[in-house]
Amino acid sequence: MNALSIQGLVKRYRGREALTPAVNGVSLTVGLGETVGLIGESGCGKTTLARCALGLLPFQEGEVEVLDQPVSALARRPELRRQAQLLFQSPRAMLNPGLTVRAHLLESARLHRSNEAPADVVQEIAARVGLEHRLDALPANLSGGERRRAGLARLLVAQPRLLVADEPTAGLDAALKADLIDQITGGRRADRATLIISHDLQLVAYACARVVVMLAGRVIERCPTVRLGEGPHHPYTAELLAAAGLTRVRTTHTQAEAVGRRGPGCPYAGRCALTAPPCHTQAPPLTERAPGHWIACHHAPETDP
């Protein structure tokens, strides 16, 4: 069963002269028991995709199913909404500045776990995220890492089956990152699914079984994490891998600006050293180069099986 299924999603925003696609025909799935990483640079459409996928933004084309139900069902079925949660990029967006951590968690416990003693739920979740000593603190008195833990704790109270985490560890040191990710993935249980949105490739490689790479609103590569750095990749992915220190292969590119969303071809055309005329005029389709490894590139060589 897929916890999340996105097929051909298109989300356009109105610019000065025309509608511009923030997400352009993206498809991806996250199965129960699976943790998938969605990576890409700032502005590539990751957050927009997440909000469309959980019914927080309308979209113009495509289909989205959450836990085998149309995404539109989230608005009319509270029990389904409880099972699909978004951890926002900014923890401040999830916390009322006038409520203590305890008050936040009590509110969530009464809403989502009314058949249990709220105080017991609060203690359980606070201990799980390491905030039992900060229950009476206001958000303004918490550190950045503590605010992220408090926001995550509110979601964990609901016991979601699908958790979408948007840049969950931004600004945290390495030790805190690993601990927080372990809390988010919930021990990688078979009845839960996680989509981690990040530009931190090392973090995604640690936490996820599969990686989806976005650039300028499009998916340009999908592959199992174990293949990262082992075979040829889209040139943009190769650049990310080199920057993250996950491969020794040095990438080559031009000093020109990438096409991005401005043309019909590959969004990386121009910056890529392999750029040829078709790259500017024809969008390369995602092609399976090895089992489970898909690349959208006119020139990427075949991967080893």
Side-chain angles (χ1 to χ4, degrees):
M1 173 182 175
N2 284 325
L4 178 64
S5 176
I6 301 172
Q7 300 297 326
L9 191 143
V10 176
K11 169 64 179 177
R12 301 184 184 93
Y13 288 109
R14 183 168 296 281
R16 292 184 178 180
E17 299 180 358
L19 290 172
T20 300
V23 178
N24 194 357
V26 168
S27 299
L28 67 85
T29 61
V30 184
L32 282 177
E34 190 177 29
T35 300
V36 175
L38 178 63
I39 67 170
E41 62 195 20
S42 297
C44 74
K46 305 186 302 294
T47 295
T48 297
L49 178 67
R51 296 192 177 200
C52 289
L54 292 183
L56 301 178
L57 281 178
F59 52 90
Q60 286 81 17
E61 298 177 29
E63 296 182 355
V64 177
E65 289 189 351
V66 177
L67 298 168
D68 282 347
Q69 298 295 319
V71 67
S72 58
L74 291 173
R76 61 179 185 272
R77 293 182 53 186
E79 77 283 1
L80 185 61
R81 168 58 71 188
R82 177 184 65 79
Q83 294 181 60
Q85 298 283 336
L86 173 63
L87 182 62
F88 286 89
Q89 183 171 345
S90 170
R92 294 182 183 275
M94 303 184 65
L95 301 174
N96 183 328
L99 295 180
T100 64
V101 174
R102 187 188 306 275
H104 279 101
L105 298 185
L106 283 171
E107 181 181 61
S108 295
R110 292 179 181 125
L111 178 64
H112 298 300
R113 294 165 69 171
S114 57
N115 60 334
E116 301 178 52
D120 292 344
V121 174
V122 169
Q123 289 298 326
E124 171 206 339
I125 297 299
R128 182 173 166 183
V129 300
L131 285 179
E132 62 267 41
H133 63 300
R134 302 292 277 156
L135 283 171
D136 295 315
L138 292 169
N141 301 126
L142 300 175
S143 68
E146 288 172 335
R147 280 194 291 269
R148 289 188 180 278
R149 289 171 180 269
L152 174 60
R154 293 196 68 188
L155 301 188
L156 294 180
V157 170
Q159 298 176 315
R161 298 177 69 194
L162 170 64
L163 177 58
V164 178
D166 188 3
E167 298 287 0
T169 62
L172 302 183
D173 61 41
L176 288 176
K177 284 182 180 181
D179 185 45
L180 188 63
I181 284 297
D182 287 340
Q183 295 293 337
I184 288 170
T185 57
R188 296 161 178 82
R189 291 175 46 171
D191 61 342
R192 298 188 183 177
T194 309
L195 177 64
I196 297 176
I197 298 171
S198 180
H199 61 268
D200 187 336
L201 191 51
Q202 288 186 330
L203 173 74
V204 168
Y206 163 76
C208 302
R210 289 192 296 118
V211 178
V212 179
V213 184
M214 279 187 70
L215 178 65
R218 304 180 193 176
V219 170
I220 59 168
E221 186 162 355
R222 297 197 300 254
C223 76
T225 306
V226 295
R227 291 197 63 89
L228 286 176
E230 290 188 357
H233 292 281
H234 188 285
Y236 174 71
T237 307
E239 184 173 344
L240 294 180
L241 287 166
L246 296 177
T247 178
R248 295 181 180 179
V249 178
R250 292 185 174 274
T251 58
T252 57
H253 52 75
T254 71
Q255 296 302 311
E257 182 183 0
V259 170
R261 293 181 172 87
R262 296 194 304 274
C266 175
Y268 199 56
R271 182 170 172 79
C272 178
L274 301 176
T275 298
C279 301
H280 288 283
T281 58
Q282 302 171 20
L286 274 169
T287 304
E288 190 171 22
R289 309 300 179 95
H293 192 168
W294 299 71
I295 303 174
C297 179
H298 290 303
H299 302 291
E302 297 294 326
T303 58
D304 297 328

